[in-house]
Amino acid sequence: VKLEQTQDFKWTKISGKAVILPDMITIPDALIDSIKAFLSHGNKMIVLGPTGYYNEFEDCQFLNFPFKNEFSAEPKEIQTIGDRIKISSIDGNYRFDAYKILGTIKNYSATPICMDKGEITGIRNKTGNSEVVWIPSDIDIGAWMQGNQVLSNWLADELTAYSASQPFSFAYKTNNVVMQTIHDGQNWLTVITNGSDTVNKVQLMNK
């Protein structure tokens, strides 16, 4: 996992990567074409919450969604209906907690992955070897408030192909610990931190 500012990320110069955009309500106009380029070069994007609904000028993009073609879908409705909302995957494997915001989708040709009360609440769209997964409800904030086990398991499944290529990984789900691996072409450096002065015992797998 690597955390970067969107303006620092090399959107147009990479392939075979995965990024997560969680609740990125505002996406500057200058980034739109770069994100589209990212989605045309064999990459994966997981989009959560009301991402991309405004630009930097506070212009609402809800009715002019900039990624309509890339997602093969666009926002249908956004509702604030309670502190704890359930979002269910169609395959029955996941039942997420969303916080306050429930987003529904107007689908064109994407594959629905979540549906609640007859409304599509999540989609997957594949174009060539690129992929978008979009759940426009606040399941990330819901996981932070209610427990992250379901979201963590889902992300692990979605990112299996990407994590499998990493030289090191946690042997099991490890809470409150972050690992970053850096490669300079010859050598690897792995940094593990829990951001505090307490001790966490972790087990790594060397692939």
Side-chain angles (χ1 to χ4, degrees), residues 2-206:
K2 186 175 183 181
L3 303 179
E4 288 194 60
Q5 296 292 327
T6 54
Q7 66 269 22
D8 297 329
F9 187 72
K10 295 178 176 61
W11 294 98
T12 61
K13 299 179 180 180
I14 57 175
S15 62
K17 300 294 184 180
V19 301
I20 302 173
L21 300 185
D23 282 280
M24 190 175 167
I25 297 175
T26 298
I27 294 182
D29 288 342
L31 274 181
I32 298 298
D33 287 342
S34 296
I35 292 175
K36 290 182 177 183
F38 176 84
L39 291 173
S40 66
H41 287 88
N43 296 300
K44 180 169 184 172
M45 180 178 291
I46 297 175
V47 184
L48 305 177
T51 293
Y53 286 8
Y54 291 87
N55 65 9
E56 70 271 38
F57 305 109
E58 299 184 1
D59 298 325
C60 182
Q61 307 294 306
F62 195 87
L63 299 179
N64 187 29
F65 191 56
F67 306 112
K68 177 180 175 179
N69 293 332
E70 289 71 25
F71 289 20
S72 291
E74 63 181 337
K76 179 180 180 182
E77 189 175 18
I78 185 169
Q79 304 176 45
T80 304
I81 59 177
D83 290 349
R84 193 172 187 178
I85 309 159
K86 291 294 184 179
I87 305 293
S88 304
S89 65
I90 291 175
D91 60 16
N93 291 334
Y94 300 100
R95 190 162 169 80
F96 306 99
D97 283 307
Y99 179 69
K100 288 188 180 295
I101 292 178
L102 171 67
T104 58
I105 295 170
K106 183 178 181 180
N107 189 31
Y108 296 108
S109 59
T111 301
I113 61 170
C114 296
M115 185 167 289
D116 294 273
K117 297 180 180 179
E119 296 284 355
I120 297 173
T121 52
I123 59 97
R124 182 188 309 277
N125 190 51
K126 294 183 178 181
T127 304
N129 56 352
S130 295
E131 181 180 12
V132 172
V133 179
W134 182 32
I135 300 179
S137 300
D138 275 339
I139 63 172
D140 50 330
I141 298 178
W144 176 57
M145 299 188 69
Q146 304 294 339
N148 64 15
Q149 185 69 56
V150 175
L151 180 61
S152 177
N153 290 343
W154 177 71
L155 287 173
D157 286 344
E158 288 291 335
L159 298 172
T160 296
Y162 299 89
S163 60
S165 64
Q166 300 303 308
F168 306 101
S169 67
F170 292 115
Y172 47 83
K173 182 178 182 295
T174 305
N175 293 322
N176 304 316
V177 178
V178 174
M179 175 170 61
Q180 182 168 338
T181 299
I182 304 169
H183 187 221
D184 67 359
Q186 293 182 330
N187 303 300
W188 294 93
L189 173 65
T190 296
V191 179
I192 303 171
T193 179
N194 62 5
S196 72
D197 57 2
T198 60
V199 176
N200 285 67
K201 292 184 179 180
V202 300
Q203 182 177 344
L204 299 182
M205 295 175 59
N206 186 338

